[in-house]
Amino acid sequence: MKESILVIGSNGQIGTELVTELRRQYGESNVIATDIKEAHPLLLGTGPFYQVDVLDTHAVADIVRKNNVKQIYLLAALLSATCEQKVKSAWRLNMDGLLGILDIAREEGVKLFWPSSIAVFGPTTPRVNTPQFTITEPNTVYGISKLAGERWCEYYHQKFGVDVRSLRYPGLIGWKSEPGGGTTDYAVHIFHEAIRSHKYVSFLSADTLLPMMYMPDALRATIGIMDVDAERVKIRSSYNVAAMSFTPREIAAEISKHIPDFSISYHPDSRQQIADSWPQSFDDSSARTDWGWKHEFDLVKMTDDMLLHLHQPIAG
Ligand code: AKB
């Protein structure tokens, strides 16, 4: 029986793009998408889809066995801002979701990808060129769930030999799908508003510097770490991966080069406090040395590409 790849949480910002890319690389019928909601319009008719709750581990295990799933990408989670609003349900989804899938990976011998985040760091962490191994005292529900998740991943690897691989994503920016509930979401919304109304009100202050990554780089990093030989994955908690850092003021200036009458104003809200607890830049030398991570997009190249694509209708 042919082997399959399963993406859980396929409707999200990363999920929609990751499923599309995996289907391009591995064949449409070999990549199964699942989400708690109905299939995302971008994925309709492009391959197998099941509507399933990640917390229903019996249903997920059934899909894994029936389809000979050998790799799972677990993307179902709530992001930082939403987690602060829905503390208990966020913890349940982010933590019980991971533990259930770690058990399936252990029982069925499946390789697992699970995303961590810059949110594992907190206000006591060195914020500039944040090392791979340093103080991790997150003060957000999301960050606590990501830190606990990293510890669980390493534990399942050491105790049970689960082949789990993980990246600490910075803020992710893409043109195909929008994020929801994150602190770094402004860096996507700003493009849509720049094109729609030529102005944007940022919920982070002008000089809030955060690590960011363009989606094509994020997809390469994600599939890249899953594809390398197991012995090259030396860190089984989660790898720092970096591409660029910028502030709302800097991205606005870059967009203004393409849309000269674009203007930005600043009205920081509760997300400012979250952003202020996160790194400003990231040392990802372990990922570069261990399994060859290398980013391609900086702020200039990403802005060109985002505006080019957002001016065009999205191809189904
Ligand atoms: C968020 O802003 O919550 C996420 C993240 C950095 O993990 N994009």
Side-chain angles (χ1 to χ4, degrees):
M1 190 182 182
K2 68 178 177 138
E3 295 184 355
S4 307
I5 298 172
L6 175 63
V7 179
I8 300 173
S10 60
N11 282 12
Q13 186 200 11
I14 312 167
T16 44
E17 299 222 28
L18 184 67
V19 169
T20 307
E21 181 57 22
L22 286 170
R23 284 184 174 157
R24 193 185 67 76
Q25 290 189 21
Y26 293 94
E28 291 190 340
S29 62
N30 299 325
V31 180
I32 300 160
T34 68
D35 201 278
I36 194 164
K37 299 199 181 122
E38 282 176 13
H40 191 285
L42 278 179
L43 300 179
L44 272 181
T46 69
F49 174 83
Y50 298 92
Q51 191 171 353
V52 64
D53 182 349
V54 64
L55 297 174
D56 184 351
T57 46
H58 293 295
V60 177
D62 203 44
I63 293 171
V64 168
R65 282 187 216 110
K66 285 194 176 135
N67 296 280
N68 196 27
V69 168
K70 288 295 164 208
Q71 291 186 41
I72 298 178
Y73 291 82
L74 170 56
L75 304 175
L78 292 183
L79 295 185
S80 53
T82 312
C83 283
E84 295 304 305
Q85 311 300 323
K86 303 180 176 174
V87 172
K88 291 281 161 52
S89 53
W91 183 259
R92 209 165 100 75
L93 173 63
N94 290 9
M95 212 67 316
D96 292 351
L98 171 61
L99 284 171
I101 302 303
L102 277 167
D103 280 331
I104 291 174
R106 176 186 172 190
E107 282 151 21
E108 305 296 330
V110 172
K111 193 198 294 186
L112 174 62
F113 176 84
W114 174 79
S116 185
S117 160
I118 53 171
V120 292
F121 302 110
T124 52
T125 305
R127 295 186 69 201
V128 178
N129 213 18
T130 301
Q132 173 69 44
F133 300 106
T134 183
I135 301 162
T136 43
E137 294 184 322
N139 61 0
T140 62
V141 175
Y142 179 65
I144 299 168
S145 76
K146 288 298 181 191
L147 180 58
E150 287 191 6
R151 304 322 307 150
W152 279 118
C153 287
E154 191 176 285
Y155 182 89
Y156 268 69
H157 177 71
Q158 283 177 356
K159 291 270 172 183
F160 310 124
V162 173
D163 189 355
V164 55
R165 304 167 182 212
S166 175
L167 304 175
R168 289 173 177 155
Y169 285 138
L172 300 183
I173 299 150
W175 54 271
K176 279 193 191 159
S177 54
E178 291 201 47
T183 302
T184 58
D185 296 5
Y186 92 86
V188 179
H189 299 157
I190 193 170
F191 284 101
H192 291 273
E193 287 306 308
I195 287 171
R196 204 179 61 83
S197 64
H198 294 204
K199 54 180 192 281
Y200 181 66
V201 182
S202 170
F203 58 76
L204 296 182
S205 64
D207 296 315
T208 306
L209 182 62
L210 287 170
M212 301 279 182
M213 186 179 285
Y214 195 35
M215 192 59 84
D217 275 340
L219 297 178
R220 278 192 314 102
T222 305
I223 298 171
I225 194 174
M226 283 295 268
D227 280 354
V228 292
D229 292 341
E231 58 270 18
R232 291 182 67 188
V233 186
K234 300 191 194 315
I235 295 172
R236 295 299 183 148
S237 50
S238 193
Y239 276 97
N240 287 5
V241 278
M244 60 184 118
S245 287
F246 57 77
T247 65
R249 195 198 301 279
E250 285 166 346
I251 191 173
E254 200 51 47
I255 291 171
S256 298
K257 291 181 189 163
H258 300 259
I259 305 173
D261 64 342
F262 174 64
S263 69
I264 184 165
S265 55
Y266 304 96
H267 288 285
D269 65 16
S270 57
R271 287 168 280 192
Q272 183 68 46
Q273 217 185 342
I274 301 177
D276 287 342
S277 77
W278 287 354
Q280 296 179 326
S281 57
F282 231 21
D283 174 5
D284 63 352
S285 47
S286 296
R288 289 174 193 261
T289 308
D290 290 357
W291 49 273
W293 160 242
K294 199 166 178 287
H295 72 280
E296 280 177 9
F297 286 86
D298 59 11
L299 177 58
V300 173
K301 210 169 153 193
M302 175 190 76
T303 305
D304 281 355
D305 204 63
M306 278 293 283
L307 292 173
L308 180 78
H309 283 103
L310 286 176
H311 274 104
Q312 295 167 357
I314 294 174

